[in-house]
Amino acid sequence: MFATIAARYDLLNHLLSGNVDKRWRRLVSKSLYASLPRGEVRILDIACGTGDLSITLFESGKASQMGEARVVGIDFCRPMLDIAKSKAAGFGLRIPFVEGDALDLPFLDDAFEAVTIAFGLRNLASIEGAFTEFLRVLKPGGTVAVLEFSKPRATVVRLLFGIYFTSVLPLFGGWISGSKSAYRYLPDSVSRFPDQKELSDLMTQAGFEEVSFQNLTGGIAALHLGKRPN
Ligand SMILES: C[S@@+](CC[C@H](N)C(=O)[O-])C[C@H]1O[C@@H](n2cnc3c(N)ncnc32)[C@H](O)[C@@H]1O
């Protein structure tokens, strides 16, 4: 499915969200860096797709006073990775983009200070399996950041967003991407995904500590943070 929509994925993300997706990714980066130690950090961006979060993380790491960030992106969809690679090369950024499965990461234990996943967790076959794998590759004390669609808090926002998400978005998404099923899958998968509190509970049950979340744009999306215990 992601291979089919790869070529139009970025365009649709920015168009259908009115560029809000860029603000969300910048916010992930800012909140993540605030939780990381000073000095060199290694960040794994899981289900990186076309690399927008990996690139934001890399650039914010360079711009911050905190030291160099080494960012690696991983995804199992080659056409998405090809776009990520050419975008990073176009900006002159050295970000390795690796082909691999989020549920069986090709990295050693305790390898990263942080792992991130943006709009990816919802697509995995097992959230619990993913968290086990994220904990394995994180260093003790390392941070996980999960950006995902969530449940808008205000009823009116929930209703209006629901109409947009289930009617307008599949229509335009299907038309522009050429894959109707992909943009019908999007609202379906979001409706099945745990809300803010449920996801926090799943993270805690999986073994993360200091789990917290922040609603973005009234809860249309949420950023969850957690730490691997020391
Ligand atoms: C909605 S896109 C999100 C891409 C990117 N993180 C972003 O913020 O735009 C979901 C991505 O998850 C990837 N994906 C889904 N299941 C995966 C798995 N088991 N292992 C690795 N990548 C996976 C897909 O290939 C796709 O690129």
Side-chain angles (χ1 to χ4, degrees):
M1 184 183 76
F2 287 105
T4 320
I5 61 168
R8 294 281 164 91
Y9 178 80
D10 283 348
L11 170 72
L12 277 165
N13 265 355
H14 307 329
L15 200 68
L16 294 171
S17 75
N19 272 335
V20 172
D21 65 309
K22 293 183 184 172
R23 184 145 43 92
W24 290 345
R25 290 192 184 84
R26 283 198 298 271
L27 204 135
V28 174
S29 186
K30 194 170 161 211
S31 300
L32 181 67
Y33 279 111
S35 82
L36 292 178
R38 287 181 173 273
E40 190 185 271
V41 289
R42 275 151 294 188
I43 304 174
L44 178 64
D45 183 28
I46 298 170
C48 64
T50 56
D52 275 1
L53 180 59
S54 316
I55 290 169
T56 306
L57 289 165
F58 186 90
E59 288 185 322
S60 324
K62 250 190 350 189
S64 77
Q65 303 298 310
M66 301 185 53
E68 190 82 351
R70 282 160 57 184
V71 180
V72 180
I74 183 165
D75 200 286
F76 71 0
C77 177
R78 177 84 60 92
M80 296 288 265
L81 285 174
D82 287 343
I83 293 170
K85 283 178 193 167
S86 65
K87 278 198 310 203
F91 293 131
L93 307 178
R94 285 183 32 192
I95 305 175
F97 286 102
V98 179
E99 194 173 334
D101 187 352
L103 298 174
D104 187 15
L105 294 167
F107 300 103
L108 296 174
D109 298 357
D110 307 348
F112 296 94
E113 275 78 14
V115 302
T116 57
I117 183 161
F119 308 111
L121 193 61
R122 180 171 36 88
N123 303 299
L124 303 182
S126 164
I127 294 179
E128 291 80 3
F131 285 154
T132 305
E133 200 50 359
F134 297 179
L135 281 163
R136 181 183 70 73
V137 298
L138 271 176
K139 285 179 185 298
T143 305
V144 63
V146 180
L147 173 64
E148 200 37 275
F149 286 108
S150 203
K151 193 169 184 181
R153 286 175 62 82
T155 315
V156 64
V157 179
R158 203 155 53 234
L159 283 173
L160 290 175
F161 180 68
I163 294 168
Y164 173 72
F165 213 52
T166 54
S167 323
V168 182
L169 182 138
L171 195 73
F172 282 99
W175 179 47
I176 297 172
S177 72
S179 171
K180 285 187 181 146
S181 57
Y183 284 85
R184 272 199 304 265
Y185 163 80
L186 175 58
D188 286 353
S189 61
V190 172
S191 70
R192 287 192 300 269
F193 192 71
D195 67 17
Q196 291 88 331
K197 167 80 172 57
E198 290 163 345
L199 185 58
S200 299
D201 291 347
L202 283 177
M203 289 174 70
T204 306
Q205 282 158 23
F208 289 105
E209 284 181 345
E210 298 175 41
V211 174
S212 62
F213 71 84
Q214 183 181 352
N215 282 313
L216 311 183
T217 320
I220 288 175
L223 167 62
H224 284 72
L225 294 174
K227 287 204 170 285
R228 177 179 160 182
N230 268 306

